[in-house]
Amino acid sequence: MRDISFTLNGGKVKVITDPSSRLLDILREQLGLTAVKEGCGEGECGACSVLKNGKLVNSCLVPMGSVQDTEISTLEGIRDTDEGKCIIDSFAESGAVQCGFCTPGMVMAAAALLREIPKPDEMQIRKALSGNLCRCTGYNMIINGIQLAAKRGDGIW
């Protein structure tokens, strides 16, 4: 067991855990952040996506020992920001949300993309979503949601 300190959604946190524990489990079980979901546990589905130092990662693959002194952002941290509201509203308006299981990971993937490429084309969006699986909507509505967010979010990113 070890003290691990990091920034989570803009605030400093410290947890005592085994460095080999998964970030996903700590976020959900110790810190009560349930937007991250365990879908596959193998880094294939993207349901557990978070931003680590601004880069999209699968929290099921991130050992806590690698989180020391990093910045982690979850959906809970961005959903009330202008950026988060723009993406979430655009997803809702585009019909990109059905069961909702993949939505937090998709929103985080969209945020990571739009921060890097504020006006992505369809192929850039598809590439950015390639690590996220959705079983309900098909991807066209999600792509439309990201395109709408890019259009509406001019100046946010």
Side-chain angles (χ1 to χ4, degrees), residues 18-148:
D18 182 326
S20 65
S21 297
R22 301 181 311 168
L23 174 59
L24 168 65
D25 299 324
I26 300 304
L27 291 172
R28 287 185 62 83
E29 296 167 16
Q30 285 192 28
L31 300 172
L33 301 177
T34 57
V36 291
K37 312 279 189 243
E38 180 162 10
C40 67
E42 298 175 354
E44 296 293 326
C45 73
C48 66
S49 296
V50 300
L51 300 179
K52 180 182 176 192
N53 293 332
K55 300 293 181 190
L56 191 69
V57 298
N58 292 313
S59 63
C60 70
L61 299 179
V62 177
M64 285 303 296
S66 73
V67 174
Q68 179 71 36
D69 299 325
T70 64
E71 184 176 325
I72 304 294
S73 297
T74 67
L75 180 63
E76 290 91 347
I78 71 162
R79 70 177 167 209
D80 294 326
T81 66
D82 289 342
E83 170 187 31
K85 288 176 188 175
C86 180
I87 295 168
I88 292 166
D89 290 347
S90 296
F91 270 42
E93 191 171 316
S94 298
V97 178
Q98 286 191 19
C99 85
F101 194 81
C102 73
T103 304
M106 292 289 188
V107 169
M108 297 308 291
L113 170 65
L114 293 171
R115 287 177 179 181
E116 187 176 326
I117 306 169
K119 299 290 185 193
D121 63 32
E122 183 177 339
M123 291 311 295
Q124 290 168 317
I125 294 171
R126 287 184 180 277
K127 182 177 179 185
L129 295 179
S130 65
N132 295 73
L133 299 177
C134 174
R135 295 185 177 113
C136 299
T137 68
Y139 294 88
N140 291 334
M141 291 180 279
I142 296 167
I143 291 165
N144 293 342
I146 295 172
Q147 289 171 327
L148 183 58

